[in-house]
């Protein structure tokens, strides 16, 4: 299943972000620590690079991610030019308290009364930007919700200490190139529920957990994982939780929803769906679909063969 999700307001949000970035000193990009690269919007990187703005990458929800995988991602990002990466939870005040200090180190030439430090907070939907904004300002100024794309307009706010924050709506990009990225984002709740089928997303997630975290599945649901696949995991969740529809059949829809919620809330345990190594393997194996100009129909080939006097091939 290939998942695509690009609500209309996001195109307008991109244009406004491009305009605002001209008057911004640095970018704070919030990522989901469980899927850092899948949750990195390439349009943000493109805008940031064009304006040559430094970036603090926050791997949020680090308390839900595998610590070993998170450390690999920190090493990966901290090797990049103009980037500093940190893992934290935007729900923890002690973690959020570190952010302004890190920003001041990244842009030490700003942060005075005459030259306030202008920070733009960016990221895809539901990665925790609004939670970060509220925690930094120590009051509720940005809407926070369990559904992605709650914030739909740009806000400019004064933090104090000569710091100005610009909060932007969560932005997806027009086309998710790798199908697995769409599924990882859907599993992590960065994509609206109207754009996905939960049973398919849950099965994809279950296959990853079977490969890398089978012991967590056993600990959470009480069934053995030897020799089973993702579909069997969802069936096992339905059986263990006694989810049944009228007539006695397993309620796989409810089981899939429960399984996804258990992952999203951390009830299954600390899980990461990708690592720098798995990302390299994905890119190495990826074959982009042919462009329309590369696709020739059978009729076009037949016409060419007739013009050249060659016999038509049997189809």
């Amino acid at each position: 299943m290939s998942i695509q999700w690009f609500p209309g307001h996001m195109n307008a949000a991109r244009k406004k972000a491009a305009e605002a970035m001209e008057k911004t000193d640095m970018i704070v990009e919030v990522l989901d620590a469980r899927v850092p690269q899948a949750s990195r919007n390439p349009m943000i990187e493109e805008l940031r690079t064009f304006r040559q703005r430094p970036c603090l990458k926050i791997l949020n929800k680090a308390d839900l991610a595998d610590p070993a995988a998170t450390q690999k991602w920190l090493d990966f990002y901290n090797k990049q030019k103009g980037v500093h990466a940190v893992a934290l939870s935007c729900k923890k005040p002690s973690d959020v308290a570190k952010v302004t200090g890190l920003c001041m180190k990244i842009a030490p030439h700003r942060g005075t009364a005459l030259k306030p430090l202008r920070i733009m907070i960016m990221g895809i939907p539901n990665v925790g930007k609004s939670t970060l904004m509220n925690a930094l300002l120590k009051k509720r100024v940005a809407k926070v919700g369990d559904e992605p794309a709650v914030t739909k307009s740009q806000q400019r706010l004064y933090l104090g200490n000569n710091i100005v924050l610009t909060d932007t709506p969560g932005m997806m990009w027009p086309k998710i190139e790798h199908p697995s990225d769409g599924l990882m984002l859907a599993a992590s709740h960065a994509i609206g529920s109207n754009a996905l089928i939960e049973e398919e997303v849950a099965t994809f997630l279950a296959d990853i957990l079977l490969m890398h975290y089978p012991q967590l599945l056993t600990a959470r649901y009480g069934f053995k994982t030897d020799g089973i696949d993702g579909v069997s995991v969802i069936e096992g969740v339905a059986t263990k939780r006694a989810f049944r529809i009228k007539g006695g059949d397993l309620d796989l829809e409810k089981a899939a929803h429960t399984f996804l919620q258990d992952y999203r809330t951390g009830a299954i345990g600390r899980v990461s769906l990708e690592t720098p190594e798995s990302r390299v393997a994905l890119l190495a194996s990826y074959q982009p679909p042919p462009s329309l100009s590369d696709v020739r129909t059978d009729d076009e080939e037949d016409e060419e063969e007739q013009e050249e006097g060659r016999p038509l091939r049997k189809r």
Side-chain angles (χ1 to χ4, degrees), residues 198-199 202 231 233-259:
E198 284 197 323
E199 287 182 51
V231 174
V233 169
I234 306 307
E235 291 173 346
V237 172
T239 301
K240 288 292 182 178
R241 296 288 189 268
F243 294 153
R244 296 190 179 274
I245 58 178
K246 190 175 181 180
D249 290 339
L250 294 174
D251 190 342
L252 299 181
E253 183 177 344
K254 186 175 182 180
H257 180 77
T258 297
F259 182 64

Side-chain angles (χ1 to χ4, degrees), residues 11-313:
N11 190 43
R14 180 192 181 282
K15 293 178 180 178
K16 289 183 178 179
E19 294 170 0
M21 196 175 291
E22 183 180 357
K23 299 177 181 178
T24 297
D25 300 306
M26 65 168 292
I27 307 303
V28 171
E29 184 180 10
V30 184
L31 306 174
D32 188 322
R34 298 165 298 181
V35 286
Q37 199 69 354
S39 63
R40 182 188 68 93
N41 185 337
M43 292 196 306
I44 294 175
E45 188 69 12
E46 179 184 329
L47 292 172
R48 182 187 75 81
T49 303
F50 176 74
R51 289 293 178 187
Q52 298 182 321
R53 299 297 189 256
C55 180
L56 173 65
K57 288 186 185 289
I58 293 180
L59 276 62
N60 186 31
K61 307 182 184 181
D63 54 326
L64 303 179
D66 183 332
T70 299
Q71 186 57 55
K72 290 181 179 180
W73 282 114
L74 291 175
D75 295 341
F76 173 80
Y77 288 125
N78 281 319
K79 291 177 182 177
Q80 297 178 358
K81 183 179 179 181
V83 173
H84 180 80
V86 61
L88 51 79
S89 169
C90 290
K91 292 182 177 181
K92 294 182 179 179
S94 59
D95 280 2
V96 174
K98 304 172 186 175
V99 172
T100 52
L102 291 169
C103 290
M104 295 297 290
K105 288 182 180 179
I106 292 171
H109 59 293
R110 307 289 302 196
T112 66
L114 292 177
K115 292 184 176 181
L117 176 57
R118 301 166 299 179
I119 301 170
M120 179 178 282
I121 299 178
M122 306 185 78
I124 68 169
N126 219 25
V127 290
K129 298 184 309 304
S130 296
T131 301
L132 174 62
M133 283 285 296
N134 292 339
L136 285 171
L137 292 156
K138 297 180 181 179
K139 58 182 178 179
R140 189 182 179 91
V141 295
K143 291 182 180 180
V144 178
D146 188 45
E147 281 297 320
V150 171
T151 303
K152 290 185 170 63
S153 61
Q154 196 174 100
Q155 297 186 85
R156 187 176 174 86
L157 300 156
Y158 293 88
L159 178 58
N161 299 320
N162 301 312
I163 296 175
V164 181
L165 300 177
T166 299
D167 181 28
T168 60
M171 293 195 304
M172 292 296 292
W173 55 106
K175 181 174 171 41
I176 299 174
E177 190 171 12
H178 307 291
S180 60
D181 283 355
L183 289 162
M184 284 191 284
L185 292 174
S188 302
H189 211 20
I191 289 177
S193 56
N194 60 328
L196 56 91
I197 300 172
E198 284 197 323
E199 287 182 51
E200 294 187 19
V201 176
T203 299
F204 168 83
L205 174 63
D207 282 328
I208 293 181
L209 299 192
L210 281 171
M211 186 180 301
H212 299 291
Y213 304 98
Q215 73 283 1
L216 295 182
L217 292 175
T218 299
R220 176 64 179 171
Y221 301 111
F223 53 73
K224 295 182 179 179
T225 59
D226 296 337
I228 68 173
D229 59 10
V231 174
S232 300
V233 169
I234 306 307
E235 291 173 346
V237 172
T239 301
K240 288 292 182 178
R241 296 288 189 268
F243 294 153
R244 296 190 179 274
I245 58 178
K246 190 175 181 180
D249 290 339
L250 294 174
D251 190 342
L252 299 181
E253 183 177 344
K254 186 175 182 180
H257 180 77
T258 297
F259 182 64
L260 289 172
Q261 286 297 102
D262 283 353
Y263 158 70
R264 292 165 181 168
T265 61
I268 292 175
R270 300 183 68 172
V271 168
S272 291
L273 303 189
E274 62 173 355
T275 63
E277 294 85 357
S278 71
R279 196 75 194 177
V280 169
L282 170 66
L283 296 178
S285 63
Y286 177 64
Q287 294 292 331
S291 64
L292 290 176
S293 60
D294 294 332
V295 177
R296 293 171 54 182
T297 65
D298 289 345
D299 289 341
E300 288 173 335
E301 292 179 353
D302 286 346
E303 289 175 5
E304 183 179 304
E305 289 168 352
Q306 284 180 316
E307 289 175 1
E308 294 179 359
R310 289 180 288 156
L312 295 179
R313 291 173 294 169

